[in-house]
C-alpha cells in the first residue's frame, strides 16, 4: 500500500493559495457584474436592461457571498 505524504507542512501554503484564488474570483465576479451594469460588457440578443439587472444580481450575490464567508470564518 502506498504511503500518503503528510500535508501538515503545506497547510499554510494551501490556505494562502485558497485565499488568493478566492480574492481573484471575487474581483472577476465584480468586474463582470459592473461591466454588465455599465453596458461595457453586453450580452448578445439580450436587451440592455435585462443585462443590467443580471449585473446587479451578480454584484449583490458576490457581496453576499463575501459577507457570509467572513461570518462563517469568524464563527
Amino acid at each position: 500500500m502506498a504511503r500518503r505524504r503528510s500535508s501538515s507542512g503545506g497547510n499554510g501554503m494551501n490556505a494562502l493559495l485558497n485565499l488568493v484564488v478566492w480574492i481573484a474570483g471575487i474581483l472577476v465576479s465584480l468586474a463582470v457584474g459592473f461591466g454588465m451594469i455599465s453596458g461595457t460588457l453586453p450580452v448578445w440578443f439580450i436587451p440592455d436592461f435585462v443585462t443590467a439587472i443580471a449585473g446587479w444580481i451578480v454584484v449583490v450575490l458576490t457581496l453576499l457571498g463575501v459577507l457570509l464567508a467572513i461570518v462563517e470564518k469568524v464563527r
Side-chain angles (χ1 to χ4, degrees):
M1 192 175 230
R3 290 180 56 183
R4 299 182 90 192
R5 292 180 65 190
S6 173
S7 62
S8 62
N11 281 344
M13 187 60 76
N14 286 339
L16 180 62
L17 181 61
N18 286 340
L19 179 65
V20 168
V21 170
W22 183 69
I23 290 173
I26 291 168
L27 292 175
V28 169
S29 296
L30 290 175
V32 168
F34 284 119
M36 292 170 72
I37 292 167
S38 68
T40 305
L41 188 62
V43 180
W44 289 2
F45 306 115
I46 296 180
D48 289 340
F49 75 94
V50 175
T51 304
I53 292 170
W56 277 111
I57 291 170
V58 168
V59 169
V60 168
L61 290 178
T62 300
L63 295 176
L64 181 63
V66 168
L67 180 67
L68 290 175
I70 291 170
V71 167
E72 181 179 331
K73 199 67 163 172
V74 170
R75 229 164 117 198

